[in-house]
Structure formats: C-alpha cells, structure tokens
Amino acid sequence: NAGVTQTPKFRILKIGQSMTLQCTQDMNHNYMYWYRQDPGMGLKLIYYSVGAGITDKGEVPNGYNVSRSTTEDFPLRLELAAPSQTSVYFCASSSDPPNYEQYFGPGTRLTVT
Amino acid sequence: AQTVTQSQPEMSVQEAETVTLSCTYDTSESDYYLFWYKQPPSRQMILVIRQEAYKQQNATENRFSVNFQKAAKSFSLKISDSQLGDAAMYFCAYNPGNTGKLIFGQGTTLQVKP
C-alpha cells in the first residue's frame, strides 16, 4: 500500500508559468483534500472533493483549480504562478464519515521566482 | 468563523519528562472532531491522537493523552516520558464533522533536550 503519493517533490516555477501537482491515493477513499503550508504556519485548505466529479473550494482557492475524474486522482492546477504561491503543498485523503482521519502525502515544495 | 489557536510557538522538555501543549478553538457546533498532528523535519504529517466531541472520556494513545474541556473549548496534548523522536512541530486541528475539512492551528515547535 503506497497510501497518498504526490509528484513532484520539488519544483521551481517562474512567475506566470503554470503547472499541475499530482496526487494519487490507493485506499479507495472518497474524500480528498489539497492544503498549503506557508513557512512556520499551519495548513490551509485550498480545495476538497467528496467523490469523483465533485469538488468545492476551501479557505484559500484563488489561483488554483482542481478536477476529480477518478476516485484515485486529485490533481491541483496552478495557473499564472505568483510569488505568493511559494509554499509546501499537501494532498490528503480520508474515508467516509464518521471516520475523518486524514492520510497525508509527503508534500511538494514549490518556489515561484 | 471557526478558528484554532495554539498560543505556544515553541516549547522545550527534558528527555523522559512530561510536557503539555495547549490548543483552544472557537465553534458554535456541538458535534465535531479534534486532532493532534505531528510534523517532524521530514515534513510528513502524522496523526498523533483524535477526540470526538461527543465523548467525555479523554483520548489516550500510549504516551500521548489529551485533556478535552468542551465547555472551555480547550484541547491540550500531554506527552509523557518524552523521547528525542518526539521533537517536531505539533498541530492542533478541528473538524466540524460534516465534510472532513480540517482547520489547523499555527503549530508548536517542540524541542526535546537529552
């Protein structure tokens, strides 16, 4: 069982470039999440999904887009990268309620210069 | 708005001793979940302990236990017999229980001295 995997581990983008952060889970979880963690801070929710084809905004969705075409995959798209998007990005998944334990991927460190 | 506050940016403890990390939260919900996550330098988020708000009994996982005070909206983590491997950043998190979304505190960095 790989759990939650994320690619890439590190990435440097130039301002205005776009990229997709990949996230895959093999636990057949319906719920998936994207968080960002700025230096010295807690995680903030960007987007989440409660199943294939269903996504919704979290606390900080501006500048990002998501899609969920399969149960396993939940990619995060950054359009027109800005320095404010420099952060560590975590993907997580959880099974259906009431067990809300979230399993996290190893994170992607993104720098926008 | 629901918020989570960790008022201790940094804490230190001597190896084998006990330390308590504080967390308070603000909510109008009556049913919810609370978590403590550990983030070592590897960056991996690791679940330490979970508490359901409807349970009066405090959760315990080996050397880790919580003091859950629902009326005071307080959720502290006690680490007993601290070990060098406990050194990490610890996050308190709140889940309102309907979508699974987590709201995190700012974190407490725990240093363990040998």
Side-chain angles (χ1 to χ4, degrees):
Chain A
N1 248 3
V4 179
T5 57
Q6 292 182 238
T7 57
K9 286 187 169 50
F10 305 93
R11 183 72 184 267
I12 298 174
L13 279 183
K14 294 190 186 305
I15 294 171
Q17 288 185 323
S18 300
M19 76 164 293
T20 299
L21 280 65
Q22 302 291 345
C23 175
T24 300
Q25 54 94 4
D26 62 0
M27 296 173 280
N28 201 33
H29 286 165
N30 282 325
Y31 288 64
M32 295 187 74
Y33 315 84
W34 274 106
Y35 295 90
R36 61 176 284 173
Q37 183 181 25
D38 297 332
M41 302 295 288
L43 282 67
K44 292 189 177 180
L45 184 66
I46 305 171
Y47 270 96
Y48 69 102
S49 170
V50 301
I54 307 170
T55 64
D56 204 351
K57 295 177 182 179
E59 187 181 358
V60 290
N62 291 344
Y64 307 94
N65 277 300
V66 294
S67 59
R68 184 99 180 268
S69 56
T70 67
T71 299
E72 295 77 20
D73 300 307
F74 190 41
L76 177 72
R77 177 84 177 160
L78 277 74
E79 304 284 0
L80 299 175
S84 61
Q85 293 178 304
T86 294
S87 192
V88 179
Y89 292 82
F90 288 95
C91 180
S93 73
S94 67
S95 57
D96 290 353
N99 180 3
Y100 282 116
E101 177 177 348
Q102 292 191 16
Y103 297 83
F104 285 81
T108 294
R109 182 178 294 279
L110 175 67
T111 302
V112 182
T113 62
Chain B
Q2 295 150 342
T3 58
V4 177
T5 302
Q6 294 178 248
S7 58
Q8 305 154 316
E10 295 179 357
M11 293 283 285
S12 67
V13 63
Q14 209 69 34
E15 195 176 6
E17 299 202 337
T18 297
V19 65
T20 298
L21 309 184
S22 301
C23 173
T24 58
Y25 57 96
D26 187 23
T27 184
S28 57
E29 304 286 337
S30 59
D31 195 16
Y32 48 86
Y33 299 79
L34 295 163
F35 302 84
W36 279 97
Y37 278 89
K38 171 185 178 181
Q39 187 180 44
S42 68
R43 208 168 65 196
Q44 181 69 47
M45 294 290 287
I46 302 164
L47 178 66
V48 175
I49 200 163
R50 179 179 71 175
Q51 175 80 43
E52 290 91 341
Y54 64 87
K55 289 187 178 178
Q56 292 189 336
Q57 187 172 5
N58 289 324
T60 300
E61 286 287 342
N62 301 315
R63 297 182 296 108
F64 299 88
S65 61
V66 299
N67 183 4
F68 173 48
Q69 303 287 330
K70 190 172 183 179
K73 296 178 184 174
S74 170
F75 182 59
S76 60
L77 175 70
K78 185 171 85 170
I79 306 174
S80 304
D81 186 24
S82 296
Q83 300 175 359
L84 295 177
D86 294 334
M89 196 152 188
Y90 286 82
F91 292 99
C92 177
Y94 164 89
N95 179 332
N98 49 8
T99 62
K101 295 185 288 185
L102 286 175
I103 300 168
F104 284 85
Q106 308 93 314
T108 297
T109 299
L110 177 66
Q111 182 186 24
V112 181
K113 298 178 181 177

Coordinates of all heavy atoms in Angstrom, one line a residue, chain A residues 52-101:
Chain A
A52 N -15.7 11.4 -6.9 CA -15.4 11.7 -8.3 C -16.4 12.6 -8.9 O -17.6 12.4 -8.7 CB -15.3 10.4 -9.1
G53 N -15.9 13.6 -9.5 CA -16.8 14.6 -10.2 C -17.3 15.7 -9.3 O -18.1 16.6 -9.7
I54 N -17.0 15.7 -8.0 CA -17.5 16.7 -7.0 C -16.3 17.4 -6.3 O -15.5 16.7 -5.6 CB -18.4 16.0 -5.9 CG1 -19.5 15.2 -6.6 CG2 -19.0 17.1 -5.0 CD1 -20.2 14.3 -5.6
T55 N -16.2 18.7 -6.5 CA -15.2 19.4 -5.8 C -15.8 20.7 -5.3 O -16.8 21.2 -5.7 CB -14.0 19.8 -6.8 OG1 -14.5 20.7 -7.8 CG2 -13.4 18.6 -7.4
D56 N -15.1 21.3 -4.3 CA -15.5 22.5 -3.7 C -14.4 23.3 -3.1 O -13.3 22.7 -2.9 CB -16.5 22.2 -2.6 CG -17.5 23.4 -2.4 OD1 -17.2 24.5 -2.9 OD2 -18.4 23.3 -1.6
K57 N -14.6 24.6 -3.0 CA -13.5 25.5 -2.5 C -13.3 25.3 -1.0 O -14.2 25.1 -0.3 CB -13.8 26.9 -2.9 CG -13.9 27.2 -4.4 CD -14.3 28.7 -4.6 CE -14.5 28.9 -6.1 NZ -14.9 30.3 -6.4
G58 N -12.0 25.6 -0.7 CA -11.7 25.6 0.7 C -11.5 27.1 1.1 O -12.1 28.0 0.6
E59 N -10.5 27.3 2.0 CA -10.3 28.6 2.6 C -9.5 29.5 1.7 O -9.7 30.7 1.6 CB -9.5 28.4 3.9 CG -9.3 29.7 4.7 CD -8.4 29.4 6.0 OE1 -8.1 28.2 6.2 OE2 -8.2 30.4 6.7
V60 N -8.6 29.0 0.8 CA -7.7 29.8 0.0 C -7.6 29.3 -1.4 O -6.6 28.9 -1.9 CB -6.3 29.9 0.6 CG1 -6.2 30.7 1.9 CG2 -5.7 28.5 0.9
P61 N -8.8 29.3 -2.2 CA -8.8 28.7 -3.5 C -8.3 29.6 -4.7 O -8.0 29.1 -5.8 CB -10.3 28.5 -3.7 CG -10.9 29.6 -3.0 CD -10.1 29.9 -1.8
N62 N -8.1 30.9 -4.4 CA -7.7 31.8 -5.5 C -6.4 31.4 -6.1 O -5.4 31.3 -5.5 CB -7.7 33.2 -5.1 CG -9.1 33.7 -4.7 OD1 -10.1 33.1 -5.1 ND2 -9.2 34.8 -4.0
G63 N -6.4 31.3 -7.5 CA -5.2 31.0 -8.2 C -5.0 29.5 -8.5 O -4.0 29.1 -9.1
Y64 N -5.9 28.7 -8.0 CA -5.8 27.3 -8.2 C -7.1 26.7 -8.8 O -8.2 27.3 -8.7 CB -5.7 26.6 -6.8 CG -4.5 27.1 -6.0 CD1 -4.7 28.1 -5.1 CD2 -3.2 26.6 -6.1 CE1 -3.7 28.6 -4.3 CE2 -2.2 27.1 -5.4 CZ -2.4 28.1 -4.5 OH -1.4 28.6 -3.7
N65 N -6.9 25.5 -9.4 CA -8.1 24.8 -9.9 C -7.9 23.3 -9.7 O -6.7 22.8 -9.6 CB -8.3 25.0 -11.4 CG -9.1 26.3 -11.7 OD1 -10.2 26.4 -11.3 ND2 -8.5 27.2 -12.4
V66 N -9.0 22.5 -9.6 CA -8.9 21.1 -9.3 C -9.9 20.4 -10.2 O -10.8 21.0 -10.7 CB -9.1 20.7 -7.9 CG1 -8.0 21.2 -6.9 CG2 -10.5 21.2 -7.4
S67 N -9.7 19.1 -10.4 CA -10.6 18.2 -11.0 C -10.5 16.9 -10.3 O -9.6 16.6 -9.7 CB -10.3 18.1 -12.5 OG -9.0 17.6 -12.7
R68 N -11.6 16.1 -10.5 CA -11.6 14.8 -9.9 C -12.4 13.8 -10.8 O -13.6 13.7 -10.7 CB -12.3 14.8 -8.5 CG -12.2 13.5 -7.7 CD -11.2 13.4 -6.7 NE -11.1 12.1 -6.1 CZ -11.8 11.8 -4.9 NH1 -12.5 12.8 -4.4 NH2 -11.6 10.7 -4.4
S69 N -11.7 13.3 -11.7 CA -12.3 12.4 -12.7 C -12.3 10.9 -12.2 O -13.2 10.1 -12.7 CB -11.6 12.5 -14.1 OG -10.3 12.2 -13.9
T70 N -11.5 10.6 -11.3 CA -11.4 9.2 -10.8 C -11.4 9.3 -9.2 O -11.0 10.3 -8.7 CB -10.2 8.4 -11.3 OG1 -9.0 9.0 -10.7 CG2 -10.1 8.4 -12.8
T71 N -11.7 8.2 -8.6 CA -11.5 8.1 -7.1 C -10.1 8.3 -6.7 O -9.8 8.9 -5.7 CB -12.1 6.8 -6.6 OG1 -13.4 6.7 -6.9 CG2 -11.9 6.7 -5.1
E72 N -9.1 7.8 -7.5 CA -7.8 7.8 -7.1 C -7.0 9.1 -7.2 O -6.1 9.4 -6.4 CB -7.0 6.7 -7.9 CG -7.4 5.3 -7.7 CD -8.7 4.9 -8.4 OE1 -9.1 5.7 -9.4 OE2 -9.4 4.0 -8.0
D73 N -7.4 9.9 -8.2 CA -6.5 11.0 -8.5 C -7.2 12.4 -8.3 O -8.4 12.5 -8.5 CB -6.2 11.0 -10.0 CG -5.4 9.7 -10.4 OD1 -4.4 9.5 -9.7 OD2 -5.8 9.0 -11.3
F74 N -6.4 13.3 -7.8 CA -7.0 14.7 -7.5 C -5.9 15.7 -7.8 O -5.2 16.2 -6.9 CB -7.4 14.7 -6.0 CG -8.2 15.9 -5.6 CD1 -9.1 16.5 -6.4 CD2 -7.9 16.5 -4.3 CE1 -9.9 17.6 -6.0 CE2 -8.7 17.6 -3.9 CZ -9.6 18.2 -4.8
P75 N -5.7 16.0 -9.0 CA -4.6 17.0 -9.4 C -5.0 18.4 -9.0 O -6.2 18.8 -9.1 CB -4.5 16.8 -10.9 CG -5.8 16.3 -11.3 CD -6.4 15.5 -10.2
L76 N -4.0 19.2 -8.7 CA -4.1 20.6 -8.4 C -3.4 21.4 -9.5 O -2.2 21.2 -9.7 CB -3.5 21.0 -7.0 CG -3.6 22.4 -6.6 CD1 -5.0 22.9 -6.3 CD2 -2.7 22.7 -5.4
R77 N -4.1 22.3 -10.1 CA -3.6 23.1 -11.2 C -3.3 24.6 -10.7 O -4.2 25.2 -10.1 CB -4.6 23.2 -12.4 CG -4.1 24.0 -13.5 CD -3.2 23.3 -14.5 NE -2.9 24.1 -15.7 CZ -1.9 23.8 -16.4 NH1 -1.0 22.8 -16.1 NH2 -1.6 24.5 -17.5
L78 N -2.1 25.0 -11.0 CA -1.7 26.4 -10.7 C -1.6 27.1 -12.0 O -0.9 26.8 -12.9 CB -0.3 26.5 -10.0 CG -0.3 26.4 -8.5 CD1 -0.4 24.9 -8.1 CD2 1.0 26.9 -8.0
E79 N -2.4 28.2 -12.2 CA -2.4 29.0 -13.4 C -1.7 30.3 -13.1 O -2.0 30.9 -12.0 CB -3.8 29.3 -13.8 CG -4.7 28.1 -14.1 CD -4.4 27.3 -15.4 OE1 -3.5 27.8 -16.1 OE2 -5.1 26.3 -15.6
L80 N -0.8 30.8 -13.9 CA -0.2 32.1 -13.8 C 0.5 32.2 -12.4 O 0.0 33.0 -11.6 CB -1.2 33.2 -14.0 CG -1.8 33.3 -15.4 CD1 -2.9 34.3 -15.4 CD2 -0.8 33.5 -16.5
A81 N 1.5 31.4 -12.2 CA 2.1 31.3 -10.8 C 2.6 32.7 -10.4 O 3.1 33.5 -11.1 CB 3.3 30.3 -10.9
A82 N 2.4 32.9 -9.1 CA 2.8 34.2 -8.4 C 3.7 33.8 -7.2 O 3.6 32.8 -6.6 CB 1.6 35.0 -8.0
P83 N 4.6 34.8 -6.8 CA 5.4 34.5 -5.6 C 4.6 34.2 -4.4 O 5.1 33.4 -3.6 CB 6.2 35.9 -5.5 CG 6.2 36.4 -6.8 CD 4.9 36.1 -7.5
S84 N 3.4 34.6 -4.3 CA 2.6 34.3 -3.1 C 2.2 32.9 -3.0 O 1.7 32.4 -2.0 CB 1.3 35.2 -3.1 OG 0.5 34.9 -4.3
Q85 N 2.4 32.1 -4.1 CA 2.1 30.7 -4.2 C 3.3 29.8 -3.8 O 3.2 28.6 -3.8 CB 1.5 30.3 -5.5 CG 0.2 30.9 -5.8 CD -0.3 30.6 -7.2 OE1 0.3 30.8 -8.2 NE2 -1.5 30.0 -7.3
T86 N 4.4 30.5 -3.4 CA 5.5 29.7 -2.9 C 5.1 29.1 -1.5 O 4.7 29.8 -0.6 CB 6.7 30.7 -2.7 OG1 7.2 31.1 -3.9 CG2 7.8 30.0 -1.9
S87 N 5.1 27.8 -1.4 CA 4.6 27.1 -0.3 C 4.9 25.6 -0.4 O 5.5 25.2 -1.4 CB 3.1 27.3 -0.2 OG 2.6 26.9 1.0
V88 N 4.5 24.9 0.6 CA 4.6 23.4 0.6 C 3.1 23.0 0.4 O 2.2 23.4 1.2 CB 5.2 22.8 1.8 CG1 5.2 21.3 1.7 CG2 6.7 23.3 2.0
Y89 N 2.9 22.1 -0.5 CA 1.5 21.7 -0.8 C 1.3 20.2 -0.4 O 2.1 19.4 -0.8 CB 1.2 21.8 -2.3 CG 1.1 23.3 -2.7 CD1 2.3 24.0 -3.0 CD2 -0.1 23.9 -2.8 CE1 2.2 25.3 -3.4 CE2 -0.2 25.3 -3.2 CZ 1.0 26.0 -3.4 OH 0.9 27.3 -3.8
F90 N 0.3 20.0 0.4 CA 0.0 18.6 0.8 C -1.4 18.2 0.3 O -2.3 18.9 0.3 CB -0.1 18.6 2.3 CG 1.2 18.7 3.0 CD1 1.7 20.0 3.5 CD2 2.0 17.6 3.3 CE1 2.9 20.1 4.1 CE2 3.2 17.7 3.9 CZ 3.7 19.0 4.3
C91 N -1.4 17.0 -0.2 CA -2.6 16.3 -0.6 C -2.9 15.3 0.6 O -2.0 14.7 1.2 CB -2.4 15.5 -1.9 SG -3.8 14.6 -2.5
A92 N -4.2 15.1 0.8 CA -4.6 14.2 1.8 C -5.9 13.5 1.4 O -6.6 13.9 0.5 CB -4.9 14.9 3.2
S93 N -6.2 12.3 2.0 CA -7.4 11.6 1.7 C -8.0 11.1 3.0 O -7.3 10.9 4.0 CB -7.2 10.5 0.7 OG -6.5 9.4 1.3
S94 N -9.3 10.8 3.0 CA -9.9 10.2 4.2 C -11.1 9.3 3.7 O -11.7 9.6 2.6 CB -10.4 11.2 5.2 OG -11.5 12.0 4.7
S95 N -11.5 8.4 4.5 CA -12.6 7.6 4.2 C -13.9 8.4 4.6 O -13.8 9.5 5.1 CB -12.6 6.2 5.0 OG -12.5 6.5 6.4
D96 N -15.1 7.7 4.4 CA -16.3 8.4 4.6 C -16.6 8.7 6.1 O -16.0 8.0 6.9 CB -17.5 7.6 4.0 CG -17.4 7.6 2.5 OD1 -16.6 8.4 1.9 OD2 -18.2 6.9 1.9
P97 N -17.4 9.6 6.4 CA -17.8 9.9 7.8 C -18.3 8.6 8.5 O -18.9 7.8 7.8 CB -18.8 11.0 7.7 CG -19.0 11.3 6.3 CD -18.1 10.5 5.5
P98 N -18.2 8.4 9.8 CA -17.7 9.4 10.7 C -16.2 9.3 10.9 O -15.7 10.1 11.7 CB -18.4 9.0 12.0 CG -18.6 7.6 11.9 CD -18.8 7.2 10.5
N99 N -15.5 8.4 10.3 CA -14.0 8.3 10.5 C -13.3 9.4 9.6 O -13.2 9.2 8.4 CB -13.5 7.0 10.2 CG -12.0 6.8 10.4 OD1 -11.4 7.8 10.8 ND2 -11.5 5.7 10.0
Y100 N -12.9 10.5 10.2 CA -12.3 11.5 9.4 C -10.8 11.6 9.5 O -10.2 12.6 9.2 CB -12.9 12.9 9.9 CG -14.3 13.2 9.4 CD1 -15.3 13.3 10.3 CD2 -14.5 13.3 8.0 CE1 -16.6 13.5 9.8 CE2 -15.8 13.6 7.6 CZ -16.8 13.7 8.4 OH -18.1 14.0 8.0
E101 N -10.2 10.5 9.9 CA -8.7 10.5 9.9 C -8.2 10.7 8.5 O -8.6 10.0 7.6 CB -8.2 9.2 10.4 CG -6.6 9.2 10.4 CD -6.1 7.9 11.0 OE1 -6.8 7.2 11.7 OE2 -4.9 7.7 10.8

